Amino acid sequence: MANLILRDLVKTYDKTEVLHSINLEVEDGEFVVFVGPSGCGKSTTLRMIAGLEEITSGVIEIDGRVVNNLEPKDRDIAMVFQNYAIYPHMSVRKNIGFGLRSSNAPKPEKEKRIEEVATLLGMNDLLDRKPSQLSGGQRQRVAIGRAMVRDPAVFLFDEPLSNLDAQLRTQMRLEIKKLHQRVGSTIVFVTHDQVEAMTMADRIVIMKDGHIQQVGTPAEVYHAPANIFVATFIGAPAMNMIPGRVNGGGAVTLATGGTVQLGGALPEGRDIIIGIRPEDLLPGETPGVLRGEVNVREPLGHETLIYVGTSEGDVIAKADGRTPPEIGEVVSLGAHPDNIHVFDAATGEALA
Amino acid sequence: MAVAEQIRPTTDALLKTEAPKRPRNLGQFLRWLLLFIGGIAMVMPIVYMLSTSLKWPHEVYNLKLIPDEPTIENYTYVLEDGRFYWWFVNSLVIALITTVCNVIFDSLVGYTLCKFRFPGRYIIFIAILSTLMIPTEMLVIPWYLMSQQFGWLDTYWGIMFPGLMTAFGTFLMKQFFETVPDDFIEAARIDGLNELQIWWIVAMPLVKPALAALAIFVFLGNWTAFIWPLIVTNSVEMYTLPVGLSSFGDEADVAWELIMTGAAISTIPTLIVFLIFQRFIIRGVVMAGLKG
């Protein structure tokens, strides 16, 4: 176990800078998830930590040691790949033990370690099987086992659940989280799935276009997004964004025609965007913010998503699962002022 | 009765669907016929070789497939002739060493071109590929001059050196290494293997079918090679089998029955290789899209 520090990390391909001065400190035993859309630089960052990509500038420290010029094998890390990267010509035992090849430990000790890891992952019965005889989830477990067997300072996971079906993904998510709680290792996990990020992370690093947008606990990034990108990226369905202008006394006139009274001192005449999460935008809630006709309903059982057509386009709200508004019904949607996020229209940064 | 009435339309429908089978069968028959003719054309020279090997010299120019007086005298003569063993051993040694070298060198170069990014990589690959367009007949003169300069004439090394690495093999192996995911290589790098170990322990086992196909092509190619061994060897002891067999007879007459006997014996290793690795040969040809 160890801490990990990224300081002013930059990566360029030819003359194109793809990672711009990344700064991050991961505490010992922390589970940090990098999340963002494709091409945001999250996997590149992880590969730079692993030593699989060269660092253009900046510093990477693992457990207080600068590892910039160290080979991947000398960084005391282990990585689990998206495609598992378990060798098809080797048995599960050999795959798990592969990480110990370069270890000087005696053979019985290596065998013992393999058995321990297999027990931890519930794979004792599968040790003599080949990967082709395993299910997707079992293969993923082998890949995790191979990483665990070396007892590295930092675990790196590169979208390891992407190839699994939805049910298995949920199960593996839980298993990885339990594993982390049991062994307490430092983990850096990359995913594009915000649900994975929210459910597993101690802290989430949200990236876009090679920049870190926000670092925070799942609750922080959800309830206090730093900007419009974070606000819309985290949470499903995405946060509703409605343009408006600040009038005197904290009142905001929306482009849709409604008026919202917000607390706090916002400069008069400033163009802003207010963000309201669908679960905070409720039919019948006062004061009413929006008014429109229900176009589409998506019943989810315990609740129903309703798409309400307003003059500024559709907004999404959550209604009761048992008695949702009918299609065509005109509803008034309101939100508590505490649940309204305010962003600067020009910069997209959060204002309150 | 009612049941019979119900069944009849179904039966009629079935009979109707039977009718279009005829053209399909005819097409199949024509295909089989073509394959049969092709098969006969392929097999006949071998049958004729075996037939001639069982004939006396005066019967050789008689085109009968079954000799009037079959004899195994030719086999006794060839096998008792010490030269044949030399040629057989020469061919075997040369084919085996060349095969092992090709498997190692072609895959090393193919792997490097496939998995490492370095300046000039593409140019090197094109340069290697372009040598495929130069016929052997053009290359034998520079090969001969090189052999002469380095003192390799009439040696194993002289016979083997042009074929220790091939452009075809490099191309084949590079294409196969493309199918090995980079994740495997990177995972091995993290697990502490050096680049040579990654190639040998991780990448090579994953391209076994290609290695087998390459080994077969190279072995057979060298086993049957004629022009270069003929040019580079002078002494009878250094001949390979094809060169040695062609030397049976004298200026006045060619001992076809002995040549055919030697050829028949020399096909045995080839047949063994084919029978054992038939699956790989077919896969190799299909995968490479080229004839070996």
Side-chain angles (χ1 to χ4, degrees), chain A residues 59-296:
Chain A
V59 173
I60 298 177
E61 274 182 35
I62 296 174
D63 205 13
R65 186 174 57 135
V66 176
V67 297
N68 285 33
N69 298 318
L70 295 183
E71 291 292 315
K73 64 184 167 69
D74 300 323
R75 295 189 177 203
D76 200 9
I77 48 114
M79 187 157 165
V80 179
F81 291 82
Q82 182 175 352
N83 299 318
Y84 320 131
I86 51 173
Y87 307 120
H89 55 289
M90 295 180 193
S91 64
V92 169
R93 185 187 300 279
K94 283 194 173 170
N95 263 293
I96 292 178
F98 200 79
L100 296 173
R101 279 185 72 93
S102 52
S103 156
N104 294 324
K107 204 179 170 191
E109 203 171 302
K110 287 182 181 177
E111 285 295 326
K112 192 180 159 209
R113 181 79 189 125
I114 294 168
E115 295 283 345
E116 277 172 9
V117 168
T119 307
L120 201 64
L121 294 167
M123 300 201 73
N124 290 75
D125 298 339
L126 308 174
L127 281 174
D128 295 318
R129 287 201 195 168
K130 287 280 175 67
S132 58
Q133 296 167 302
L134 303 177
S135 68
Q138 288 168 334
R139 284 180 204 185
Q140 190 54 270
R141 254 182 246 145
V142 176
I144 294 169
R146 198 174 66 195
M148 282 177 65
V149 80
R150 289 173 52 205
D151 196 17
V154 179
F155 280 97
L156 308 174
F157 288 81
D158 190 5
E159 305 209 30
L161 309 182
S162 304
N163 289 352
L164 304 177
D165 61 50
Q167 197 179 354
L168 204 53
R169 202 180 305 159
T170 311
Q171 189 188 329
M172 285 305 294
R173 210 163 65 197
L174 193 67
E175 284 190 28
I176 293 174
K177 195 163 178 173
K178 276 185 189 167
L179 203 67
H180 175 247
Q181 284 167 358
R182 215 176 312 160
V183 296
S185 320
T186 308
I187 294 181
V188 180
F189 190 104
V190 162
T191 179
H192 61 268
D193 183 345
Q194 49 115 353
V195 177
E196 263 171 38
M198 292 291 284
T199 51
M200 298 171 89
D202 291 330
R203 276 195 304 157
I204 298 177
V205 179
I206 299 159
M207 293 187 72
K208 185 196 170 200
D209 299 335
H211 291 280
I212 289 182
Q213 301 291 314
Q214 187 173 4
V215 182
T217 62
E220 281 168 358
V221 296
Y222 190 81
H223 295 297
N227 55 40
I228 289 178
F229 173 77
V230 176
T232 49
F233 189 79
I234 298 291
M239 186 185 279
N240 297 296
M241 292 292 168
I242 307 145
R245 176 168 287 178
V246 181
N247 295 324
V252 175
T253 306
L254 301 179
T256 50
T259 302
V260 186
Q261 187 66 37
L262 295 174
L266 291 168
E268 195 173 335
R270 187 168 190 171
D271 286 328
I272 60 162
I273 290 175
I274 67 161
I276 308 171
R277 294 212 177 271
E279 67 268 26
D280 295 329
L281 195 59
L282 305 169
E285 180 85 6
T286 51
V289 179
L290 298 163
R291 195 175 162 77
E293 193 175 290
V294 177
N295 292 331
V296 179

Side-chain angles (χ1 to χ4, degrees), chain A residues 47 85 87-89 101 146 150, chain B residues 184 186-188 190 192 201 206:
Chain A
R47 290 169 60 79
Y87 307 120
H89 55 289
R101 279 185 72 93
R146 198 174 66 195
R150 289 173 52 205
Chain B
F184 285 179
E186 291 174 344
I190 290 173
I201 297 168
L206 296 174

Side-chain angles (χ1 to χ4, degrees), chain B residues 125-179:
Chain B
F125 182 55
I126 294 294
I128 292 172
L129 272 191
S130 63
T131 63
L132 279 172
M133 287 180 272
I134 305 169
T136 309
E137 288 77 3
M138 269 183 72
L139 290 168
V140 290
I141 296 168
W143 286 347
Y144 188 85
L145 293 174
M146 275 175 73
S147 299
Q148 197 179 32
Q149 292 280 324
F150 292 123
W152 295 342
L153 290 178
D154 211 24
T155 62
Y156 275 165
W157 181 245
I159 301 171
M160 290 187 302
F161 88 89
L164 291 179
M165 212 197 103
T166 60
F168 164 74
T170 306
F171 170 73
L172 181 78
M173 294 316 299
K174 181 188 174 293
Q175 295 311 103
F176 263 86
F177 282 121
E178 300 279 1
T179 64

